[in-house]
Amino acid sequence: MAKNPVMTRENSDDIARFLEGTASFADVVFGFTGDSDESEENLRHYANGDGDGDGDEDQSPCNVEENKAFWENQEQLLQATICRTSSLESKVRKATKEAMKEISLVGLQCVCRRPVTGGCRDCLQREISIRLRNVGYDCAICKSKWRSSPEIPSGAHTYLEVVDKVSSKKGEVMRVVVELNFRAEFEMARASEEYNQLISRLPDLFVGKTERLKNLIKILCSASKKCMKDKKMHLGPWRKHKYMQAKWLGTYERITPAPLPVQQFSESRQKKPRAYSMLTFDLLDNLHCTAVEVL
Ligand SMILES: [Zn+2]
């Protein structure tokens, strides 16, 4: 197996260190920084390391092996990142699924200015947030918004978060991100089979700590970059690592829908506790399917 540098590494240790934040993503994948030319050179260097000197190191068999190793590694990392979960994350995930189940039973009514049959993403987030608050979680709607930079265009995104002081060590606040359309955020129309397979492992409903999300974004953005590079296609700026980070990990406004007593719920929901502009409604079409799939 000397031909395959990636598989000879002690992957599980590296993955563990990556998940703990003590190893970089590049360390885990190839043991060097993942940027373009340098890494390719290194890859060749590694690939030729078995020294059989047959002189066909730039031929496709090597690339096939390298590619295979890359995608296998991504999948391992992704699985390891998704599988690990703390009790708070599990509890929030369960409560969110429960809330979505209840909402699908009673039906979701839009209370926003742009009502959609079956409810829009914003109204679903609001409803889930209220329900999670009713069962004791400090859940809020997060509105992230960022300016354009030379690297990425401006944009905005909304998602949910649950913060918890009790379960954290050292009195820190633990932040759990709840994203209802996680997989859809990474789907690409003309992606490769390998990329699609990787993405298929993602849940629709993502519930996880910031650190876990950070790692997932790294894995997925590295995969989309490689996918498009291999296909010699342009990677949309909204798919860049920085853009994805801005969505969930950048600065945001925290909106807490007014807590409503459960018994007055259906009556009170007619009132708008707080209006917020709908900056992201690109996912409306996905919403209904997702709500059903998750259940
Ligand atoms: Zn709505």
Side-chain angles (χ1 to χ4, degrees):
M1 289 305 287
K3 269 202 169 169
N4 190 332
V6 176
M7 302 315 283
T8 59
R9 292 177 60 83
E10 303 234 337
N11 285 29
S12 56
D13 285 358
D14 284 338
I15 289 169
R17 288 195 300 125
F18 171 67
L19 294 170
E20 284 157 15
T22 53
S24 75
F25 175 69
D27 279 345
V28 184
V29 180
F30 294 123
F32 50 78
T33 41
D35 264 322
S36 59
D37 297 346
E38 195 196 342
S39 50
E40 271 167 19
E41 234 177 78
N42 268 316
L43 256 185
R44 262 180 230 120
H45 171 76
Y46 274 105
N48 298 337
D50 58 349
D52 58 10
D54 55 11
D56 64 354
E57 50 269 8
D58 286 336
Q59 301 302 308
S60 51
C62 265
N63 289 332
V64 171
E65 290 268 302
E66 284 160 17
N67 278 337
K68 200 168 163 255
F70 175 86
W71 291 106
E72 277 173 7
N73 235 281
Q74 300 297 110
E75 208 151 319
Q76 269 189 342
L77 280 172
L78 191 85
Q79 286 291 64
T81 309
I82 291 173
C83 286
R84 285 197 173 191
T85 189
S86 64
S87 73
L88 177 66
E89 290 167 294
S90 301
K91 279 191 278 179
V92 174
R93 192 176 299 121
K94 197 167 167 244
T96 309
K97 284 185 178 178
E98 200 58 41
M100 291 176 88
K101 202 170 174 180
E102 285 168 18
I103 293 165
S104 82
L105 289 175
V106 297
L108 178 66
Q109 299 282 318
C110 263
V111 292
C112 63
R113 274 177 247 170
R114 296 169 187 246
V116 180
T117 317
C120 71
R121 175 179 158 96
D122 280 2
C123 290
L124 179 61
Q125 284 182 334
R126 190 184 157 274
E127 194 77 52
I128 291 171
S129 167
I130 289 167
R131 282 168 190 263
L132 288 180
R133 294 189 75 80
N134 282 344
V135 293
Y137 292 103
D138 184 0
C139 180
I141 296 163
C142 300
K143 267 179 65 179
S144 59
K145 202 174 174 183
W146 57 97
R147 290 168 194 269
S148 65
S149 73
E151 288 158 284
I152 58 165
S154 63
H157 189 65
T158 59
Y159 58 95
L160 298 173
E161 75 167 7
V162 169
V163 291
D164 187 76
K165 282 173 193 131
V166 186
S167 339
S168 66
K169 296 167 196 164
K170 303 174 214 158
E172 287 165 21
V173 174
M174 195 191 252
R175 179 177 188 242
V176 174
V177 170
V178 178
E179 171 57 61
L180 306 178
N181 302 87
F182 193 67
R183 196 195 311 130
E185 293 286 334
F186 293 92
E187 278 167 353
M188 299 196 293
R190 285 179 288 173
S192 64
E193 204 182 302
E194 291 93 341
Y195 182 82
N196 285 337
Q197 200 194 318
L198 187 74
I199 296 304
S200 73
R201 307 235 176 232
L202 295 175
D204 276 324
L205 170 66
F206 171 81
V207 178
K209 289 185 292 185
T210 312
E211 275 307 306
R212 195 183 312 286
L213 180 59
K214 207 184 271 178
N215 286 341
L216 271 182
I217 292 173
K218 246 187 248 178
I219 296 165
L220 294 163
C221 289
S222 160
S224 59
K225 191 175 167 186
K226 164 126 177 94
C227 167
M228 295 317 252
K229 197 179 169 192
D230 286 352
K231 296 195 97 187
K232 296 189 167 50
M233 281 164 71
H234 176 69
L235 183 75
W238 62 93
R239 301 204 174 278
K240 283 186 176 176
H241 193 198
K242 283 228 163 111
Y243 194 91
M244 290 295 184
Q245 283 178 316
K247 271 187 183 175
W248 296 287
L249 305 169
T251 52
Y252 60 93
E253 183 193 352
R254 196 172 197 267
I255 299 158
T256 314
L260 309 171
V262 180
Q263 60 270 31
Q264 291 168 20
F265 194 70
S266 54
E267 190 189 321
S268 313
R269 64 189 290 171
Q270 305 304 325
K271 299 171 197 161
K272 277 183 238 169
R274 183 159 174 180
Y276 52 93
S277 65
M278 288 182 54
L279 291 161
T280 51
F281 35 85
D282 51 329
L283 292 162
L284 292 188
D285 292 341
N286 291 323
L287 184 71
H288 189 65
C289 308
T290 307
V292 174
E293 273 172 29
V294 163
L295 297 174

